[in-house]
Amino acid sequence: MENEKSASSSTFKMGNSAQERSLPYVPDCYAVPPSYEPRDALDSTSESVPTIDISRLKDSDDERRRVIQEMRLACQSFGFFQIVNHGIDQSTLDDALAVAEGFFELPAKEKNKFMSNDVYAPVRYTTSLKDGMDKIQFWRIFLKHYAHPLHRWIHLWPQNPPEYREKMGKFCQEMRILSLEIMGAITESLGLGRDYLSSRMDENGMQVMAVNCYPPCPDPKTALGLPPHSDYSCITILLQNLTGLEIFDLTAHDGSGRWVHVPEVKGVLMVHIGDHVEVLSNGLYKSVIHKVNLNEEKTRISLASLHSLGMDDKMSVPCQLVNDENPVRYRESSFNDFLDFLVKNDISQGFRFIDTLKIKY
Ligand code: OGA
Ligand code: NI
């Protein structure tokens, strides 16, 4: 088996990946180059992650303004914040994690029904980023499925575990309501008003669930669960059962940045600013670069709910945010444009969708 150590990515396709087979070593094509891992840039403390009590959005106008100001600061400095008092029952979160875990524990035959390498498929089960195709492989197995409108997609979701549709469906609906509330606050924080995107996100918007599983890795310092990347979405709401997520704080160390470890606190949800809010803010808010570290002993499950405009609805810079000093800094783009980008580019090599949108003056 040792000759597999130096085999190329294509050896580790779905069904044969190192993470599915629990290989006792990390094959070379999973090793991330040192440039990915400025370990000295890692701060092990997590004190500096902004945390926002969003129940206050429903308080007095003054209190809402204060929360929105906190969000504005978090979006400008980190492109990331944690939310507490979001009003979602702990049981809804626990149940969704449990059915996700149950799905990954099913026999391969059952899971393989959803296997697909087509990034346009509304439901797909695969490994790494693009299974066996990118130069570097990642120690991840995932199921992605569309979630809005629920009735249009839920019949395509797994029927096993038997409660998957019900429990994951409930979680998705709650995430969706929350995403609309947060997006309203974000557009308000940009001076665009609370309803600037409501109709485009509500009836016609997309919600994609990434249900991620990171099995234990024999050498967690060598491989990664996911490489540094930002999400294409407007916002992503994330729930994790274990630590592993790290976000890049661009402003630290006089602009050279540092990795910040995000703790796992029961009931807390994390909000990532995605590329489409960076565009919406004309660059005032930054989509957060994040990556996933691995664990030697435990399986990590994360649920990432990505919220964006409709498939072909283009996000562009609002004219209200453009003036002589602030020209339009990004080209318009849709979710579908992102998928086209994903097909053509190897994200493991650091290519970012947002960079293709930037207008140079
Ligand atoms: C993602 C992602 C983070 C995690 O699915 O885009 O960044 O913690 N997930 O799994
Ligand atoms: Ni992500």
Side-chain angles (χ1 to χ4, degrees):
M1 287 297 259
E2 265 308 288
N3 62 348
E4 268 193 335
K5 173 98 168 69
S6 53
S8 69
S9 284
S10 57
T11 305
F12 299 100
K13 285 210 168 104
M14 184 92 213
N16 201 49
S17 70
Q19 60 274 34
E20 287 163 287
R21 287 189 288 151
S22 307
L23 283 189
Y25 59 89
V26 173
D28 295 346
C29 63
Y30 285 74
V32 290
S35 56
Y36 263 54
E37 288 287 292
R39 286 264 164 203
D40 50 351
L42 172 72
D43 270 14
S44 54
T45 61
S46 34
E47 283 153 40
S48 41
V49 181
T51 303
I52 301 177
D53 173 348
I54 62 156
S55 66
R56 293 153 54 226
L57 282 173
K58 297 195 175 94
D59 285 356
S60 62
D61 288 352
D62 278 352
E63 195 61 22
R64 184 173 166 91
R65 264 193 291 278
R66 275 193 284 274
V67 182
I68 283 172
Q69 180 59 12
E70 287 169 25
M71 248 183 222
R72 184 179 167 89
L73 288 175
C75 293
Q76 277 179 297
S77 56
F78 280 92
F80 177 89
F81 51 90
Q82 301 192 119
I83 50 174
V84 294
N85 289 333
H86 42 64
I88 299 171
D89 284 346
Q90 188 61 42
S91 62
T92 304
L93 307 182
D94 292 343
D95 288 352
L97 283 171
V99 291
E101 202 167 351
F103 174 78
F104 292 110
E105 281 167 359
L106 293 173
K109 193 167 141 268
E110 185 65 29
K111 292 182 287 191
N112 289 351
K113 290 181 192 162
F114 302 94
M115 196 159 103
S116 167
N117 240 341
D118 174 8
V119 303
Y120 302 95
V123 180
R124 66 189 180 106
Y125 171 65
T126 188
T127 55
S128 190
L129 267 169
K130 276 188 289 170
D131 165 48
M133 297 210 283
D134 296 324
K135 216 162 158 211
I136 304 176
Q137 292 297 292
F138 299 95
W139 206 271
R140 167 170 90 137
I141 306 169
F142 68 98
L143 175 70
K144 250 187 198 171
H145 53 61
Y146 291 0
H148 178 78
L150 198 60
H151 63 83
R152 182 161 166 209
W153 308 113
I154 196 165
H155 67 282
L156 301 174
W157 294 7
Q159 274 179 301
N160 252 325
E163 290 188 307
Y164 187 91
R165 291 184 182 177
E166 182 203 331
K167 306 290 191 198
M168 193 58 78
K170 170 107 169 76
F171 177 80
C172 288
Q173 281 177 314
E174 297 278 10
M175 289 302 114
R176 195 174 156 68
I177 295 165
L178 200 55
S179 75
L180 295 173
E181 195 177 353
I182 295 169
M183 276 308 294
I186 286 175
T187 53
E188 197 172 331
S189 76
L190 289 167
L192 299 167
R194 191 172 176 168
D195 290 324
Y196 183 74
L197 288 179
S198 312
S199 62
R200 289 163 75 192
M201 295 225 36
D202 195 352
E203 289 107 70
N204 304 314
M206 293 285 298
Q207 177 180 16
V208 179
M209 270 306 298
V211 181
N212 298 305
C213 172
Y214 306 91
C217 176
D219 185 3
K221 293 233 169 342
T222 305
L224 278 177
L226 268 179
H229 71 281
S230 57
D231 297 346
Y232 72 85
S233 55
C234 287
I235 55 170
T236 299
I237 309 177
L238 186 99
L239 173 68
Q240 58 177 357
N241 73 339
L242 270 183
T243 56
L245 180 70
E246 277 176 25
I247 59 169
F248 197 66
D249 175 6
L250 286 162
T251 59
H253 301 314
D254 292 329
S256 58
R258 67 171 174 182
W259 286 107
V260 179
H261 165 87
V262 179
E264 191 271 314
V265 182
K266 208 171 172 58
V268 165
L269 293 167
M270 285 149 269
V271 179
H272 292 114
I273 295 303
D275 293 345
H276 274 163
V277 162
E278 181 166 328
V279 172
L280 175 76
S281 71
N282 203 18
L284 181 66
Y285 296 173
K286 296 282 180 262
S287 63
V288 64
I289 295 177
H290 51 287
K291 65 174 179 175
V292 176
N293 284 342
L294 297 160
N295 189 293
E296 202 166 347
E297 276 139 36
K298 296 185 186 148
T299 297
R300 177 169 179 272
I301 304 283
S302 74
L303 308 177
S305 183
L306 288 86
H307 303 270
S308 64
L309 303 181
M311 184 58 102
D312 296 307
D313 191 0
K314 303 242 186 216
M315 179 66 89
S316 56
V317 175
C319 58
Q320 296 93 314
L321 300 186
V322 176
N323 55 41
D324 289 345
E325 278 132 60
N326 289 300
V328 173
R329 297 206 163 88
Y330 301 86
R331 265 178 281 279
E332 62 174 17
S333 66
S334 64
F335 176 36
N336 205 34
D337 294 332
F338 165 74
L339 292 176
D340 293 344
F341 166 87
L342 192 60
V343 171
K344 295 194 195 101
N345 292 277
D346 182 347
I347 289 175
S348 84
Q349 298 301 300
F351 295 113
R352 292 181 69 201
F353 179 54
I354 190 79
D355 290 336
T356 68
L357 305 178
K358 286 179 185 159
I359 298 173
K360 308 249 160 30
Y361 286 96

PDB file of all heavy atoms in Angstrom, residues 288-307:
ATOM      1  N   VAL A 288     -14.814  36.862   3.953  1.00  0.00           N
ATOM      2  CA  VAL A 288     -13.805  36.324   4.869  1.00  0.00           C
ATOM      3  C   VAL A 288     -13.123  35.087   4.272  1.00  0.00           C
ATOM      4  O   VAL A 288     -13.778  34.180   3.764  1.00  0.00           O
ATOM      5  CB  VAL A 288     -14.419  36.019   6.257  1.00  0.00           C
ATOM      6  CG1 VAL A 288     -15.479  34.935   6.183  1.00  0.00           C
ATOM      7  CG2 VAL A 288     -13.349  35.631   7.269  1.00  0.00           C
ATOM      8  N   ILE A 289     -11.800  35.082   4.335  1.00  0.00           N
ATOM      9  CA  ILE A 289     -11.036  33.889   3.928  1.00  0.00           C
ATOM     10  C   ILE A 289     -11.004  32.952   5.126  1.00  0.00           C
ATOM     11  O   ILE A 289     -10.703  33.368   6.247  1.00  0.00           O
ATOM     12  CB  ILE A 289      -9.619  34.275   3.478  1.00  0.00           C
ATOM     13  CG1 ILE A 289      -9.722  35.139   2.214  1.00  0.00           C
ATOM     14  CG2 ILE A 289      -8.765  33.026   3.218  1.00  0.00           C
ATOM     15  CD1 ILE A 289      -8.418  35.655   1.695  1.00  0.00           C
ATOM     16  N   HIS A 290     -11.385  31.701   4.898  1.00  0.00           N
ATOM     17  CA  HIS A 290     -11.420  30.740   6.000  1.00  0.00           C
ATOM     18  C   HIS A 290     -10.925  29.380   5.516  1.00  0.00           C
ATOM     19  O   HIS A 290     -10.882  29.111   4.311  1.00  0.00           O
ATOM     20  CB  HIS A 290     -12.833  30.644   6.599  1.00  0.00           C
ATOM     21  CG  HIS A 290     -13.921  30.411   5.592  1.00  0.00           C
ATOM     22  ND1 HIS A 290     -14.359  31.378   4.714  1.00  0.00           N
ATOM     23  CD2 HIS A 290     -14.660  29.306   5.305  1.00  0.00           C
ATOM     24  CE1 HIS A 290     -15.320  30.877   3.950  1.00  0.00           C
ATOM     25  NE2 HIS A 290     -15.518  29.618   4.285  1.00  0.00           N
ATOM     26  N   LYS A 291     -10.538  28.537   6.459  1.00  0.00           N
ATOM     27  CA  LYS A 291     -10.067  27.191   6.118  1.00  0.00           C
ATOM     28  C   LYS A 291     -10.468  26.245   7.241  1.00  0.00           C
ATOM     29  O   LYS A 291     -10.907  26.695   8.308  1.00  0.00           O
ATOM     30  CB  LYS A 291      -8.542  27.187   5.916  1.00  0.00           C
ATOM     31  CG  LYS A 291      -7.780  27.510   7.183  1.00  0.00           C
ATOM     32  CD  LYS A 291      -6.284  27.349   6.982  1.00  0.00           C
ATOM     33  CE  LYS A 291      -5.566  27.721   8.273  1.00  0.00           C
ATOM     34  NZ  LYS A 291      -4.159  27.506   8.268  1.00  0.00           N
ATOM     35  N   VAL A 292     -10.309  24.953   7.001  1.00  0.00           N
ATOM     36  CA  VAL A 292     -10.716  23.967   8.002  1.00  0.00           C
ATOM     37  C   VAL A 292      -9.537  23.082   8.388  1.00  0.00           C
ATOM     38  O   VAL A 292      -8.931  22.429   7.526  1.00  0.00           O
ATOM     39  CB  VAL A 292     -11.897  23.107   7.488  1.00  0.00           C
ATOM     40  CG1 VAL A 292     -12.245  22.011   8.487  1.00  0.00           C
ATOM     41  CG2 VAL A 292     -13.115  23.975   7.217  1.00  0.00           C
ATOM     42  N   ASN A 293      -9.201  23.105   9.664  1.00  0.00           N
ATOM     43  CA  ASN A 293      -8.166  22.220  10.197  1.00  0.00           C
ATOM     44  C   ASN A 293      -8.780  20.896  10.621  1.00  0.00           C
ATOM     45  O   ASN A 293      -9.985  20.808  10.896  1.00  0.00           O
ATOM     46  CB  ASN A 293      -7.502  22.864  11.410  1.00  0.00           C
ATOM     47  CG  ASN A 293      -6.538  23.943  10.994  1.00  0.00           C
ATOM     48  OD1 ASN A 293      -6.114  23.993   9.844  1.00  0.00           O
ATOM     49  ND2 ASN A 293      -6.201  24.812  11.922  1.00  0.00           N
ATOM     50  N   LEU A 294      -7.918  19.880  10.719  1.00  0.00           N
ATOM     51  CA  LEU A 294      -8.411  18.530  11.014  1.00  0.00           C
ATOM     52  C   LEU A 294      -8.119  18.110  12.445  1.00  0.00           C
ATOM     53  O   LEU A 294      -7.341  18.748  13.152  1.00  0.00           O
ATOM     54  CB  LEU A 294      -7.763  17.560  10.027  1.00  0.00           C
ATOM     55  CG  LEU A 294      -8.163  17.868   8.579  1.00  0.00           C
ATOM     56  CD1 LEU A 294      -7.191  17.274   7.591  1.00  0.00           C
ATOM     57  CD2 LEU A 294      -9.592  17.401   8.302  1.00  0.00           C
ATOM     58  N   ASN A 295      -8.756  17.004  12.811  1.00  0.00           N
ATOM     59  CA  ASN A 295      -8.668  16.488  14.160  1.00  0.00           C
ATOM     60  C   ASN A 295      -8.155  15.057  14.081  1.00  0.00           C
ATOM     61  O   ASN A 295      -8.560  14.303  13.197  1.00  0.00           O
ATOM     62  CB  ASN A 295     -10.083  16.529  14.758  1.00  0.00           C
ATOM     63  CG  ASN A 295     -10.112  16.236  16.217  1.00  0.00           C
ATOM     64  OD1 ASN A 295      -9.817  15.119  16.644  1.00  0.00           O
ATOM     65  ND2 ASN A 295     -10.479  17.237  17.007  1.00  0.00           N
ATOM     66  N   GLU A 296      -7.287  14.681  14.994  1.00  0.00           N
ATOM     67  CA  GLU A 296      -6.693  13.350  14.902  1.00  0.00           C
ATOM     68  C   GLU A 296      -7.637  12.259  15.387  1.00  0.00           C
ATOM     69  O   GLU A 296      -7.552  11.113  14.961  1.00  0.00           O
ATOM     70  CB  GLU A 296      -5.389  13.330  15.706  1.00  0.00           C
ATOM     71  CG  GLU A 296      -4.458  12.229  15.262  1.00  0.00           C
ATOM     72  CD  GLU A 296      -3.045  12.383  15.795  1.00  0.00           C
ATOM     73  OE1 GLU A 296      -2.709  13.474  16.318  1.00  0.00           O
ATOM     74  OE2 GLU A 296      -2.302  11.400  15.722  1.00  0.00           O
ATOM     75  N   GLU A 297      -8.539  12.610  16.294  1.00  0.00           N
ATOM     76  CA  GLU A 297      -9.362  11.567  16.913  1.00  0.00           C
ATOM     77  C   GLU A 297     -10.834  11.586  16.510  1.00  0.00           C
ATOM     78  O   GLU A 297     -11.476  10.552  16.422  1.00  0.00           O
ATOM     79  CB  GLU A 297      -9.305  11.708  18.438  1.00  0.00           C
ATOM     80  CG  GLU A 297      -8.097  11.023  19.039  1.00  0.00           C
ATOM     81  CD  GLU A 297      -7.470  11.862  20.132  1.00  0.00           C
ATOM     82  OE1 GLU A 297      -8.237  12.526  20.865  1.00  0.00           O
ATOM     83  OE2 GLU A 297      -6.231  11.878  20.218  1.00  0.00           O
ATOM     84  N   LYS A 298     -11.348  12.792  16.325  1.00  0.00           N
ATOM     85  CA  LYS A 298     -12.807  12.869  16.186  1.00  0.00           C
ATOM     86  C   LYS A 298     -13.244  13.265  14.786  1.00  0.00           C
ATOM     87  O   LYS A 298     -12.521  13.948  14.064  1.00  0.00           O
ATOM     88  CB  LYS A 298     -13.341  13.907  17.167  1.00  0.00           C
ATOM     89  CG  LYS A 298     -13.092  13.510  18.605  1.00  0.00           C
ATOM     90  CD  LYS A 298     -13.753  14.507  19.528  1.00  0.00           C
ATOM     91  CE  LYS A 298     -13.405  14.226  20.959  1.00  0.00           C
ATOM     92  NZ  LYS A 298     -13.349  15.451  21.751  1.00  0.00           N
ATOM     93  N   THR A 299     -14.456  12.854  14.448  1.00  0.00           N
ATOM     94  CA  THR A 299     -15.071  13.268  13.191  1.00  0.00           C
ATOM     95  C   THR A 299     -15.737  14.621  13.408  1.00  0.00           C
ATOM     96  O   THR A 299     -16.496  14.804  14.353  1.00  0.00           O
ATOM     97  CB  THR A 299     -16.130  12.235  12.753  1.00  0.00           C
ATOM     98  OG1 THR A 299     -15.473  11.000  12.525  1.00  0.00           O
ATOM     99  CG2 THR A 299     -16.851  12.669  11.498  1.00  0.00           C
ATOM    100  N   ARG A 300     -15.433  15.554  12.536  1.00  0.00           N
ATOM    101  CA  ARG A 300     -16.050  16.869  12.660  1.00  0.00           C
ATOM    102  C   ARG A 300     -17.161  17.003  11.617  1.00  0.00           C
ATOM    103  O   ARG A 300     -16.985  16.626  10.455  1.00  0.00           O
ATOM    104  CB  ARG A 300     -15.003  17.956  12.434  1.00  0.00           C
ATOM    105  CG  ARG A 300     -15.554  19.350  12.480  1.00  0.00           C
ATOM    106  CD  ARG A 300     -14.428  20.391  12.510  1.00  0.00           C
ATOM    107  NE  ARG A 300     -14.982  21.720  12.521  1.00  0.00           N
ATOM    108  CZ  ARG A 300     -15.301  22.419  11.430  1.00  0.00           C
ATOM    109  NH1 ARG A 300     -15.097  21.908  10.248  1.00  0.00           N
ATOM    110  NH2 ARG A 300     -15.818  23.634  11.543  1.00  0.00           N
ATOM    111  N   ILE A 301     -18.296  17.502  12.073  1.00  0.00           N
ATOM    112  CA  ILE A 301     -19.417  17.746  11.153  1.00  0.00           C
ATOM    113  C   ILE A 301     -19.683  19.243  11.156  1.00  0.00           C
ATOM    114  O   ILE A 301     -19.680  19.882  12.211  1.00  0.00           O
ATOM    115  CB  ILE A 301     -20.716  17.033  11.637  1.00  0.00           C
ATOM    116  CG1 ILE A 301     -20.503  15.523  11.826  1.00  0.00           C
ATOM    117  CG2 ILE A 301     -21.896  17.325  10.708  1.00  0.00           C
ATOM    118  CD1 ILE A 301     -20.485  14.702  10.560  1.00  0.00           C
ATOM    119  N   SER A 302     -19.902  19.819   9.984  1.00  0.00           N
ATOM    120  CA  SER A 302     -20.327  21.213   9.939  1.00  0.00           C
ATOM    121  C   SER A 302     -21.467  21.353   8.942  1.00  0.00           C
ATOM    122  O   SER A 302     -21.529  20.616   7.951  1.00  0.00           O
ATOM    123  CB  SER A 302     -19.168  22.131   9.574  1.00  0.00           C
ATOM    124  OG  SER A 302     -18.873  22.004   8.211  1.00  0.00           O
ATOM    125  N   LEU A 303     -22.346  22.277   9.239  1.00  0.00           N
ATOM    126  CA  LEU A 303     -23.474  22.562   8.349  1.00  0.00           C
ATOM    127  C   LEU A 303     -23.342  24.009   7.909  1.00  0.00           C
ATOM    128  O   LEU A 303     -23.409  24.917   8.743  1.00  0.00           O
ATOM    129  CB  LEU A 303     -24.809  22.363   9.085  1.00  0.00           C
ATOM    130  CG  LEU A 303     -24.996  21.021   9.798  1.00  0.00           C
ATOM    131  CD1 LEU A 303     -26.332  21.005  10.548  1.00  0.00           C
ATOM    132  CD2 LEU A 303     -24.953  19.873   8.795  1.00  0.00           C
ATOM    133  N   ALA A 304     -23.105  24.202   6.622  1.00  0.00           N
ATOM    134  CA  ALA A 304     -22.946  25.562   6.100  1.00  0.00           C
ATOM    135  C   ALA A 304     -24.152  25.872   5.218  1.00  0.00           C
ATOM    136  O   ALA A 304     -24.400  25.184   4.227  1.00  0.00           O
ATOM    137  CB  ALA A 304     -21.653  25.675   5.307  1.00  0.00           C
ATOM    138  N   SER A 305     -24.899  26.904   5.602  1.00  0.00           N
ATOM    139  CA  SER A 305     -26.079  27.290   4.841  1.00  0.00           C
ATOM    140  C   SER A 305     -25.738  28.558   4.056  1.00  0.00           C
ATOM    141  O   SER A 305     -25.508  29.612   4.645  1.00  0.00           O
ATOM    142  CB  SER A 305     -27.239  27.528   5.820  1.00  0.00           C
ATOM    143  OG  SER A 305     -28.411  27.837   5.148  1.00  0.00           O
ATOM    144  N   LEU A 306     -25.665  28.416   2.730  1.00  0.00           N
ATOM    145  CA  LEU A 306     -25.244  29.535   1.885  1.00  0.00           C
ATOM    146  C   LEU A 306     -26.467  30.230   1.296  1.00  0.00           C
ATOM    147  O   LEU A 306     -27.328  29.576   0.693  1.00  0.00           O
ATOM    148  CB  LEU A 306     -24.331  29.043   0.750  1.00  0.00           C
ATOM    149  CG  LEU A 306     -22.922  28.602   1.175  1.00  0.00           C
ATOM    150  CD1 LEU A 306     -22.890  27.161   1.615  1.00  0.00           C
ATOM    151  CD2 LEU A 306     -21.927  28.817   0.044  1.00  0.00           C
ATOM    152  N   HIS A 307     -26.524  31.537   1.448  1.00  0.00           N
ATOM    153  CA  HIS A 307     -27.679  32.319   1.002  1.00  0.00           C
ATOM    154  C   HIS A 307     -27.240  33.334  -0.039  1.00  0.00           C
ATOM    155  O   HIS A 307     -26.294  34.091   0.190  1.00  0.00           O
ATOM    156  CB  HIS A 307     -28.317  33.017   2.195  1.00  0.00           C
ATOM    157  CG  HIS A 307     -28.728  32.050   3.257  1.00  0.00           C
ATOM    158  ND1 HIS A 307     -29.978  31.464   3.292  1.00  0.00           N
ATOM    159  CD2 HIS A 307     -28.032  31.501   4.276  1.00  0.00           C
ATOM    160  CE1 HIS A 307     -30.024  30.611   4.300  1.00  0.00           C
ATOM    161  NE2 HIS A 307     -28.860  30.613   4.919  1.00  0.00           N
TER     162      HIS A 307
END
